[in-house]
Amino acid sequence: MPVSPLADLFARPHRRAVLHAGGGLAALALGLSGCADVPVEPRRIKWGRDACEFCHMVFADRRFAAEVWDRDTNRARIYDDFGCAVLASAENGRLDDATVPFWVTDDADPTRWLDARTARYRNDVVTPMGYGHSAGPAADHPLAFAAAAEAIRTKAACEHQS
């Protein structure tokens, strides 16, 4: 008795279907294993291409960048101005959480990332969004993190009153 071609199709899986399913499972396994190994550190910013996650301005001046770790997405969020990072962190309730990694670039050496909570700040600079604070480890940066963050929040509140 001849077997119908339709019955044969359902009797064994199609080669493409097997390869596609196997490839999808392999990609899923690689993706899941890669997520577990994400280092908690500032990510690489593409200068002139990436945009601030708060104000959406394209990154242009390396001296004022900041990044804050987001445990929900397992990556660092990028900001073109320390003020943007402060305001975004305040909005999502992470500004005062010392367990959340927060970094700023050193204004004298923008290739170097500093722990934002232990860095020192000065408030006499022109920054991309006008919040006026830059970071550094030196004595010419008289403000602590909390004082700089409070000054930025106060300035933003005054400028956005209706």
Side-chain angles (χ1 to χ4, degrees):
M1 170 187 232
V3 177
S4 89
L6 191 57
D8 188 42
L9 180 65
F10 289 111
R12 58 189 161 143
H14 194 275
R15 188 176 126 202
R16 284 189 189 140
V18 171
L19 290 174
H20 182 69
L25 291 174
L28 178 64
L30 285 173
L32 291 176
S33 68
C35 289
D37 299 331
V38 175
V40 178
E41 63 187 15
R43 72 184 212 221
R44 186 176 164 265
I45 295 172
K46 295 175 194 112
W47 303 100
R49 291 191 356 215
D50 281 341
C52 175
E53 295 192 35
F54 188 75
C55 71
H56 308 292
M57 193 166 132
V58 173
F59 280 80
D61 197 331
R62 299 169 192 252
R63 298 174 297 162
F64 309 112
E67 297 194 20
V68 180
W69 188 254
D70 184 341
R71 290 185 183 115
D72 297 336
T73 60
N74 208 26
R75 70 181 182 98
R77 296 203 169 270
I78 58 175
Y79 304 96
D80 72 325
D81 190 307
F82 171 62
C84 289
V86 166
L87 296 175
S89 296
E91 280 183 5
N92 65 32
R94 295 183 176 140
L95 181 64
D96 298 322
D97 184 350
T99 67
V100 175
F102 194 139
W103 304 277
V104 289
T105 52
D106 181 343
D107 62 9
D109 178 7
T111 63
R112 190 171 91 149
W113 288 96
L114 306 171
D115 178 327
R117 298 180 196 286
T118 59
R120 304 293 295 177
Y121 299 85
R122 60 185 184 155
N123 63 352
D124 58 351
V125 294
V126 177
T127 63
M129 290 306 296
Y131 294 111
H133 289 76
S134 66
D140 61 341
H141 293 73
L143 300 173
F145 175 82
E150 184 57 33
I152 288 166
R153 293 178 75 191
T154 300
K155 180 175 184 170
C158 290
E159 289 178 354
H160 296 101
Q161 285 182 343
S162 34

